[in-house]
Amino acid sequence: MHFDILTLFPEMFTGPLTTSIVGKAQESGLVSIDVWNIRDHALDKHRIVDDAPYGGGAGMVLKVDVLVRALEAVRGDSDAPVIYLSPQGKVFNQQIAGQLARLPRLILLSGHYEEIDERVREHWVDFELSIGDYVLTGGELPAMVVVDAVTRLLPGVLGDETSSQQDSFQDGLLDYPHYTRPAEFRSLAVPEVLLSGHHGNIERFRRKEALRRTLLRRPDLLEKKDLSSKECQLLEELAEEYSAEGRLNTNESD
Ligand code: 9D3
């Protein structure tokens, strides 16, 4: 898969995209990433990329002529979709990551604490993505988030051990708790079942604890998920645990 990233701050991208799993994926040729400086497409002597908004008001607007020159230079005659990272975009999630991972090429356009001329959005942008409801200084980190989340889904990028299929959001539940040696630390013991070697019980424990975490921390995820009959049964056990706890607490306060 190939990513083209258009930005006013290309130097922001070097560390994250050359390190760790994304760096390895590039080295092994599974993914390639080109970062382009939008300013290289500003042709005036001051290389101006933005201007004051028509109609007045605060803030600056990235110029349509500069952006379109940059986009057309990068896109060439390919039909790769242009994704604009924007606070107004659809909120990025694992499902979108999966859809993007099926494409051969993506062009990501990042702004930096400013808007783009609406004509670019209307005629050159295919999708708009946000990474969540908080205010950043630009679309650079969001572009890196998209590249990271999509890259790790590409065949061959993760080893078998960390198969992306097994992941938290992949099956719609949060992860179960993990432990490693020692079995006891300052009298804090690892749950007995994990030392038992009984794979059926271990599997059941992990499913139940994943459900517990999801129930307590992200009940919204449970509402969206199709639960198996096993999962329904575990969830009923949890509901019983917490209502028993409630009854105990009620007695305490009496
Ligand atoms: C208040 C008017 N604008 C400021 C000139 C709003 C604004 C535009 C651009 C605020 C922040 C930004 C910079 N953010 C992004 O470009 C961005 C973003 C984000 O801030 N949060 C979550 N996802 C994204 S994707 C791109």
Side-chain angles (χ1 to χ4, degrees):
M1 177 160 189
H2 183 74
F3 296 94
D4 293 286
I5 302 171
L6 286 89
T7 173
L8 290 168
F9 295 93
E11 59 283 9
M12 280 182 75
F13 290 81
T14 45
L17 300 184
T18 56
T19 309
S20 180
I21 290 167
V22 178
K24 294 257 162 57
Q26 286 204 80
E27 281 169 21
S28 57
L30 294 167
V31 67
S32 53
I33 306 169
D34 285 326
V35 180
W36 307 96
N37 193 340
I38 293 169
R39 197 174 297 278
D40 290 344
H41 300 270
L43 302 181
D44 64 302
K45 77 168 179 189
H46 295 110
R47 304 220 295 164
I48 289 171
V49 295
D50 54 9
D51 203 343
Y54 276 121
M60 297 290 274
V61 180
L62 289 175
K63 288 165 65 62
V64 59
D65 54 322
V66 175
L67 285 174
V68 169
R69 241 189 327 268
L71 284 168
E72 290 184 345
V74 167
R75 175 141 66 175
D77 55 12
S78 94
D79 57 2
V82 173
I83 297 182
Y84 174 44
L85 286 309
S86 146
Q88 281 122 66
K90 180 168 177 187
V91 179
F92 185 61
N93 61 22
Q94 194 61 28
Q95 189 198 337
I96 297 172
Q99 291 166 351
L100 297 181
R102 289 191 235 125
L103 302 175
R105 184 176 179 192
L106 280 184
I107 299 172
L108 301 175
L109 173 63
S110 297
H112 198 84
Y113 211 78
E114 48 196 354
E115 306 303 328
I116 59 172
D117 189 298
E118 190 65 15
R119 292 167 288 188
V120 178
R121 180 183 262 125
E122 281 177 357
H123 298 282
W124 280 271
V125 169
D126 297 289
F127 309 102
E128 262 178 89
L129 290 178
S130 162
I131 62 163
D133 296 334
Y134 37 82
V135 183
L136 299 168
T137 57
E140 295 84 5
L141 288 166
M144 289 185 244
V145 165
V146 170
V147 169
D148 190 285
V150 171
T151 297
R152 62 182 290 290
L153 295 178
L154 300 175
V157 168
L158 295 185
D160 282 347
E161 227 186 319
T162 43
S163 165
S164 59
Q165 296 304 311
Q166 278 202 2
D167 279 357
S168 160
F169 276 89
Q170 211 81 11
D171 74 347
L173 293 180
L174 298 185
D175 208 354
Y176 53 79
H178 299 259
Y179 300 87
T180 188
R181 281 176 281 270
E184 193 177 315
F185 175 73
R186 298 190 185 169
S187 77
L188 300 173
V190 169
E192 199 57 50
V193 57
L194 297 178
L195 312 176
S196 70
H198 190 304
H199 296 298
N201 288 352
I202 291 171
E203 169 60 28
R204 187 178 194 284
F205 169 82
R206 287 180 168 167
R207 262 286 118 174
K208 185 167 175 180
E209 294 313 309
L211 281 163
R212 184 194 309 278
R213 278 199 173 166
T214 312
L215 180 68
L216 295 179
R217 300 182 185 190
R218 293 293 305 277
D220 58 303
L221 294 178
L222 283 181
E223 273 150 41
K224 286 179 216 148
K225 187 176 153 62
D226 290 323
L227 294 165
S228 67
S229 59
K230 183 77 208 168
E231 286 165 333
C232 286
Q233 187 200 322
L234 292 169
L235 210 51
E236 274 170 37
E237 287 180 27
L238 289 165
E240 173 53 29
E241 279 180 36
Y242 290 108
S243 65
E245 203 172 274
R247 288 194 297 276
L248 287 173
N249 291 341
T250 312
N251 292 340
E252 269 164 27
S253 65
D254 281 347

